[in-house]
Amino acid sequence: MLLKRILMSFLLLTTAWSVQAETTKFYDLAFPNLEGKEVSLSEYKGKVVLLNFWATWCPPCVREMPSMQRLQDKFADQPFEIVAINAGESADAIEAFLLGLDNELTFTILLDEKSRSFQEFRIPGLPMSYLISKDGELLETIMGGREWDDEKQVALVEEALAQ
């Protein structure tokens, strides 16, 4: 058990370090939205971005979606955006998922049907989120699901917006 924890800690540290080295590529990436239009992440320059990787088959991913929407709503009048990139599913699958939700999601959802983001960002699992500064710098690497509108997560966004 101790060995497993040590290995997992090492994996998280090396993943976070390698992702930080890759954030210069953040603005170079582009993915299609649900309508098939290519969206470049460079469109988010000057904004704090919560970049979230998720899938409909991932229970923690699905659980955190309502709190992500509440976080987006809380900072709606500020330079903050949530961009959720679905890993490996089709637009039809995402549309069906969205229709089954109680509340509409208004943040940006992009598609990575070939799961290339796993290689680009060296993502070890889902959900995986990155808080990116207005200048494109990696501020936080967040592994696993969160309640995005709790005090700690709101404070992270407020701090990023104040920079």
Side-chain angles (χ1 to χ4, degrees), residues 56-124:
T56 63
W57 48 261
C58 165
C61 300
V62 172
R63 274 193 304 273
E64 71 181 356
M65 289 285 177
S67 68
M68 288 170 60
Q69 182 60 53
R70 290 188 299 270
L71 184 69
Q72 180 70 58
D73 293 344
K74 180 172 184 59
F75 293 103
D77 62 340
Q78 298 189 42
F80 172 73
E81 294 289 335
I82 293 177
V83 178
I85 300 177
N86 179 274
E89 297 179 277
S90 70
D92 289 341
I94 305 308
E95 290 286 353
F97 166 77
L98 293 173
L99 287 173
L101 294 177
D102 293 335
N103 298 309
E104 180 183 9
L105 300 179
T106 62
F107 52 83
T108 302
I109 295 178
L110 302 177
L111 302 173
D112 180 11
E113 289 185 68
K114 295 181 181 172
S115 299
R116 69 185 175 118
S117 54
F118 278 92
Q119 291 177 338
E120 292 282 344
F121 286 90
R122 294 185 173 93
I123 296 172

Side-chain angles (χ1 to χ4, degrees), residues 27 43-49 78-81 132-136 161:
Y27 291 132
E43 293 178 26
Y44 299 99
K45 282 183 181 177
K47 294 184 178 188
V48 172
V49 176
Q78 298 189 42
F80 172 73
E81 294 289 335
I132 311 290
S133 76
K134 296 173 192 173
D135 300 324
L161 286 167

Side-chain angles (χ1 to χ4, degrees), residues 19-37:
V19 167
Q20 190 153 10
E22 297 294 321
T23 55
T24 55
K25 295 182 180 180
F26 171 71
Y27 291 132
D28 295 336
L29 297 176
F31 297 94
N33 64 16
L34 293 171
E35 292 77 37
K37 178 185 178 252

